[in-house]
Each structure stands twice: as C-alpha cells, then as structure tokens.
Amino acid sequence: MKENQTEHPVLLLSPNGFEADNRVLLEKESSRRRTLNDVLRPENMQLAWKQVRANKGVAGIDGMKVGDFPAFMLKYGKVVMAKLREGSYRPSPVKQCRIPKDNGEYRMLGIPTVLDRVIQQAIAQILSPLYETQFHEHSYGFRPKKSARQAIEKVKDLAMKRARVCHVVDCDLKAFFDTVDHQKLMEKLRDHVGDPELLELINYYLKAGAITPKGEFIDSLKGVPQGGPLSPLLGNILLDELDNELESRGHDFVRYADDFVILCNSPKAGQRILASISRYLRSKLKLTVNTVKSKVVKLAQASFLGFKIQRRKIRWTEKSMKRFKAEVRRITRRTRGVSPSTVYNDLRNYMRGALNYYLIGVTFREVRELDQWVRRRMRLYHWKQWGRPRTRRRNLLRLGVDRDKVKMASRSRKGPWRIVNVEVVRFALTNAWLESQGLHSLEKQWVNARYPEGKETA
C-alpha cells in the first residue's frame, strides 16, 4: 500500500523522495562545511519533523498543533523553504509560559511554533554530530547516550577515589538560559560553523522575541529560550568553554546542562574554587553565579540532579520524594475534572518516567511503600468520586462487600483518608481491582529493571 504523503510533509519538496537513513549527518568531512543547505535537505527536514511529531508539545503563538503541520506544509511548504534559502525567513516569537518551581518562583519557558521547532530540530541534527566529538566527557546533559544517572555515577566514582573527606562545590548559575550573551554565543559558533547563512538563521532565532501571557511582545536582547530543540545544544556549546577551563585547572567536576559540581578536599579549598570560578564566569562567559544558592558542603550533604551520595550509595533526596508525591496528588485530585481512565493513564505515564529517572537511588522497600501509598490515593479518588452515601453503598455492593458491612463504611464519620484504609473498602477496591483499572506497579517495574533476567518470556 502506498504510504500517505501527509505523514511526510517535506517529501513533496524533493523530486527524489524520502530516504529513510540519516547519511547526511555522517557524510560531512569538515565541520566548516556545515551549511544551511545541509539543514534544508529533505531527508534532514523529514527526520526533524518525525522527532517533533514524536515529542508532541503544545502550539506556539500561531495556534498550530503538531497534527496540523502536514496540511500546512502541503499548502505553504515550498514558500517557507524558498524564504529559508534566500534568507528572508523570520522566526516567530516564542510563546512565553511560566512554570512554577518548588521554591515558589517561576521558570520561564519559550514555546516556538511547530514550524520553528522543526527548523530548530533540523539545525540541531546537523550541528550535534560536529560538537559531540568536541564536548567534554564530563558533560552529560541533553547528549546522545548520556544521562543523569551516568552523571551522578561519575560524581560517586570521582568522590570514592579521594583518600580525604570529600567536599562539593555546588555552583548554581543564576537564570542561565535567560542570561546567555548572544555575542559570546555567536563567537563560539563561528569557531566551527563557517556558513554565514546558517549563522544568520541561528541569530534570528536568538533575537525572535517572545509574547507574554498578557499578549505583549518583548525583545530578546539576551538568553536562549527554554522550550526549543536548539536551546540545549546552544547551552552546551557555550558551557563547553567552562568544562575546558575546569579541566585545565585540574578540578574533578561533573556538569549536566547548567548544573555542575566540583569536588575538593576541604571547605576552605571549596570557597577558593567557588570565588575563582564565579569571577571566571562573570568575566569570560558573562554569566552570574547565584551566591545565595551556591555553597560548599560535605559530600553526604550535597544534592545533584535530585540525588545524594550517602554511605557510598546513591539515593534520591527527600525533596525528590516529596516532589514525586506532590505530582501524584495533583494527578489523582478528583477536582481535575477528567475521567478515571485519564487519571490512570496520566498516573502510569508519570510513575513510569519518574521511576526510570530515579531508579538508581530508590530501594525496594521504598517502592513497596510508595505502591501502598499510591493505591490508597486511588481508593481515596474513587471514594470521593462516589460522593453520596447511597452511591457508595451501591458501588460497595457491586464490588462484592457483604450487606451487613456496607453501612460501616458508607455512613462512617471517619474522614476520607482514614476510611479508605479500613478493611471493608480495601476488600472492595482490592489491589487486583486497581491493577485491572490500569494502576501501574512501581514494584514490578523496579524488579524488571534491576533484575532483567528475571523477566518472564513469552
């Protein structure tokens, strides 16, 4: 059967059709030859579209959803590509969104349009293979085959090699993505990218501006908006200079995007390192260190990427567990106004992703306790959803509870959190019943991940 061309909106722009492989990313022999034409090759653009489609995401300021993009390209694709080639294309401003942080502050995100996400992704695909060969090995953020788990394991490895008590310089960059100096970043790009048209397009993205939630336009005189596919790569390109500087000074360090730690032997040495690196960042990279959050602490008191190292073991922090529980509470809140199936689906997706991230730092005992707590949350969700005593009675009977015991629960004066833990309710809303509704098991996921050879085979 012939493949639907609307699934491949860039296919129509090439007389040769779509080639499924990614040869364009590997055939370039010289870094200086990376050009805008490489970015706009149909196979590279198609690969970028596939990635953006897989990532989904919300609409930008034009309101176009990811699913609307194929039809848009069928109608306007040739015009867009012509503008890109002649240098007259101008990116749309990003849609500014405020994301609340744990400390009550907000992180600003900039959501590009779907079209600009595809173009940015295409640029990143051309530049990433070039810079991946040059980035420092202790840089782990937003890089292929690198992860937060590898980063914290590297911190542990470096710490265990030290004979003396290990201290950590926890250096916090103040609003890094909002304060990147455009001139400095473009200088770094020019060191390895020789095509002025490609550099100009990247510069246009840096200066595209933003639309605030109130609908006001603001210029982007500095910064790289978080939310676009190109931003993590540009951040790593700028901070690679920091990595090389730390190595030249002989420091043991690990960096994940704009979060980095430096290991040292004493608080005094740590304070000297923190002061020196702060001066370097301010003078060379025009970045500011947050003096309130940056500190020098013992290894056991340090946290990095949501993990800590205590008694030579990696554990997730208390803050990370609280964040996990807070998100589960949000998802299972009855007042969200969504169907139970949506609650189970959202909960499954979040729990699976969270445990994948924190797996190295969570014990079997903790996942069992968390499973018990989540099951109680879901019983609470159903109990509150049933609402009236009459509805609760009917549902308890439907789930097999003895009539003589139903009244004990349906008209109990105990609060909802207490009542869902009594035997009658647990008998009705059993673990097996909750699992049949779609409740994800952290314990099973933990066991399968830690002991993969124990998985059942078909």
Side-chain angles (χ1 to χ4, degrees), residues 289-418:
V289 171
N290 190 326
T291 57
V292 176
K293 295 183 179 180
S294 299
K295 56 187 180 295
V296 180
V297 295
K298 290 183 179 180
L299 177 65
Q301 299 171 338
S303 64
F304 183 52
L305 305 176
F307 297 95
K308 60 184 179 181
I309 301 172
Q310 292 182 338
R311 297 187 180 92
R312 306 175 71 89
K313 293 182 179 179
I314 298 172
R315 301 294 309 279
W316 65 339
T317 63
E318 291 78 8
K319 185 177 180 180
S320 297
M321 182 184 290
K322 288 180 180 178
R323 187 183 296 119
F324 174 87
K325 287 190 171 183
E327 182 61 13
V328 171
R329 288 190 186 96
R330 186 195 68 81
I331 293 173
T332 58
R333 192 176 296 128
R334 184 181 61 87
T335 54
R336 282 183 66 202
V338 297
S339 66
S341 61
T342 299
V343 172
Y344 279 107
N345 185 64
D346 292 347
L347 190 60
R348 179 172 59 251
N349 290 338
Y350 173 71
M351 290 170 62
R352 183 182 293 153
L355 186 56
N356 279 339
Y357 181 86
Y358 290 115
L359 182 67
I360 192 176
V362 182
T363 65
F364 181 68
R365 179 179 178 179
E366 286 173 330
V367 294
R368 295 196 71 179
E369 290 175 350
L370 285 171
D371 264 343
Q372 293 173 4
W373 178 80
V374 171
R375 286 194 291 265
R376 191 172 177 181
R377 284 290 310 178
M378 287 311 301
R379 291 186 180 108
L380 177 66
Y381 171 83
H382 287 290
W383 188 256
K384 286 186 174 181
Q385 190 185 48
W386 291 345
R388 297 179 179 179
R390 181 175 57 186
T391 306
R392 289 171 177 168
R393 174 183 172 83
R394 183 173 66 248
N395 281 291
L396 289 173
L397 290 171
R398 179 176 58 83
L399 291 168
V401 178
D402 188 273
R403 287 183 177 273
D404 295 334
K405 296 182 179 180
V406 165
K407 188 175 181 180
M408 295 170 55
S410 63
R411 294 187 177 276
S412 173
R413 294 185 178 182
K414 291 182 179 180
W417 182 247
R418 290 181 62 195

Side-chain angles (χ1 to χ4, degrees), residues 41-71:
R41 286 179 185 273
E43 53 266 45
N44 186 58
M45 293 291 290
Q46 187 58 49
L47 191 67
W49 156 240
K50 284 186 174 182
Q51 186 61 53
V52 170
R53 182 177 60 185
N55 291 342
K56 299 179 182 178
V58 300
I61 63 166
D62 60 356
M64 185 194 302
K65 299 179 180 179
V66 173
D68 300 330
F69 183 70

Side-chain angles (χ1 to χ4, degrees), residues 430-441:
T430 64
N431 296 355
W433 185 84
L434 291 172
E435 188 172 345
S436 72
Q437 302 302 300
L439 184 60
H440 181 68
S441 170

Side-chain angles (χ1 to χ4, degrees), residues 45-296:
M45 293 291 290
Q46 187 58 49
L47 191 67
W49 156 240
K50 284 186 174 182
Q51 186 61 53
V52 170
R53 182 177 60 185
N55 291 342
K56 299 179 182 178
V58 300
I61 63 166
D62 60 356
M64 185 194 302
K65 299 179 180 179
V66 173
D68 300 330
F69 183 70
F72 171 83
M73 286 300 287
L74 286 173
K75 189 171 184 179
Y76 301 106
K78 291 183 179 180
V79 175
V80 171
M81 299 298 281
K83 285 181 174 292
L84 284 165
R85 288 193 174 93
E86 69 187 21
S88 61
Y89 178 81
R90 296 295 181 270
S92 301
V94 297
K95 182 171 71 175
Q96 202 174 70
C97 300
R98 296 200 312 169
I99 306 298
K101 298 167 69 174
D102 295 334
N103 57 7
E105 298 178 355
Y106 290 89
R107 175 182 292 107
M108 301 304 299
L109 289 185
I111 310 299
T113 63
V114 177
L115 174 59
D116 283 327
R117 295 208 292 269
V118 172
I119 298 171
Q120 286 191 35
Q121 179 65 33
I123 296 172
Q125 289 169 181
I126 292 300
L127 296 186
S128 288
L130 158 64
Y131 283 100
E132 276 302 314
T133 62
Q134 302 171 29
F135 284 154
H136 198 281
E137 62 179 344
H138 289 185
S139 168
Y140 290 89
F142 305 107
R143 296 183 59 191
K145 299 180 181 179
K146 298 263 191 176
S147 66
R149 172 174 179 165
Q150 292 174 330
I152 191 63
E153 286 178 333
K154 173 57 70 173
V155 173
K156 179 187 173 184
D157 291 343
L158 293 173
M160 294 304 104
K161 292 177 182 178
R162 291 177 172 266
R164 303 176 62 181
V165 176
C166 182
H167 286 73
V168 176
V169 181
D170 184 358
C171 198
D172 183 87
L173 292 178
K174 188 174 183 179
F176 167 72
F177 283 97
D178 296 331
T179 59
V180 169
D181 184 79
H182 291 173
Q183 183 176 352
K184 179 63 179 181
L185 177 57
M186 293 306 298
E187 287 175 3
K188 296 290 296 179
L189 286 166
R190 291 188 190 97
D191 288 342
H192 296 95
V193 180
D195 181 38
E197 294 177 337
L198 178 54
L199 290 169
E200 185 177 45
L201 179 59
I202 295 174
N203 193 48
Y204 283 141
Y205 274 111
L206 293 177
K207 300 185 180 302
I211 302 296
T212 68
K214 295 182 179 180
E216 301 171 347
F217 174 82
I218 56 174
D219 287 316
S220 50
L221 303 178
K222 58 182 179 179
V224 179
Q226 286 181 273
L230 193 56
S231 301
L233 175 61
L234 296 180
N236 276 332
I237 289 172
L238 181 64
L239 291 177
D240 186 58
E241 185 173 325
L242 169 64
D243 298 341
N244 294 327
E245 178 67 19
L246 292 172
E247 182 182 48
S248 69
R249 297 185 183 193
H251 294 316
D252 287 337
F253 74 96
V254 175
R255 182 175 65 81
Y256 190 97
D258 58 327
D259 293 327
F260 67 98
V261 291
I262 307 169
L263 278 59
C264 61
N265 291 327
S266 69
K268 190 174 182 179
Q271 292 296 341
R272 286 199 305 268
I273 293 171
L274 179 58
S276 177
I277 291 301
S278 297
R279 289 193 298 270
Y280 169 82
L281 288 166
R282 185 169 56 252
S283 62
K284 297 296 184 181
L285 298 184
K286 300 182 180 180
L287 298 172
T288 304
V289 171
N290 190 326
T291 57
V292 176
K293 295 183 179 180
S294 299
K295 56 187 180 295
V296 180

